[in-house]
Amino acid sequence: MFHIEINTKKRILTLFNNGTKLKQYHVAVGKPSTPTPLGNWIIIKKGLWGNQFGGHFMQLNVPFGIYGIHGTDMPRSISQAVSHGCIRMHSKDAKELYNLVTLGTPVYIY
């Protein structure tokens, strides 16, 4: 069973399968005025969004807005705190993650 951990300070997303680390990705996180929501979430929707979102979007069950993990058309933003709260990945990485995880995958953001 997959789960995802996102370290907002280090700006690293780690994918685990049955407790074993499979992959790590550099990500962008929310800027101080629009922080990434910390907590325990699950992926509730997956969809193909426009190029701005790198094509692949995985929505989290955050109750106070639409937040997700997605690609970006601004790859230079990766490893920075610049988003409106979403987790941005390189688009090829977002596609890879999108194809691996399913709805209901736990996402721990700290």
Side-chain angles (χ1 to χ4, degrees):
M1 176 171 183
F2 289 113
H3 82 270
I4 294 169
E5 293 183 14
I6 300 168
N7 182 323
T8 59
K9 301 252 186 286
K10 292 183 179 179
R11 300 176 188 140
I12 296 286
L13 181 153
T14 306
L15 176 65
F16 292 87
N17 188 19
N18 294 319
T20 300
K21 183 182 354 178
L22 287 185
K23 302 244 357 172
Q24 280 193 315
Y25 305 95
H26 293 278
V27 296
V29 298
K31 57 190 169 190
S33 60
T34 56
T36 297
L38 305 180
N40 299 331
W41 313 109
I42 61 169
I43 295 174
I44 58 168
K45 286 185 189 176
K46 290 171 57 178
L48 299 179
W49 287 27
N51 286 338
Q52 177 183 0
F53 298 98
H56 296 83
F57 189 92
M58 295 155 274
Q59 184 177 339
L60 304 176
N61 67 327
V62 178
F64 45 84
I66 297 176
Y67 294 90
I69 303 167
H70 60 79
T72 182
D73 63 352
M74 297 174 11
R76 292 175 50 197
S77 70
I78 301 304
S79 296
Q80 299 182 48
V82 294
S83 80
H84 288 107
C86 285
I87 303 299
R88 290 184 191 169
M89 305 177 71
H90 287 288
S91 294
K92 67 176 180 52
D93 294 341
K95 180 180 181 181
E96 180 178 75
L97 186 65
Y98 181 98
N99 288 327
L100 287 171
V101 300
T102 60
L103 298 182
T105 297
V107 179
Y108 307 108
I109 302 175
Y110 56 93

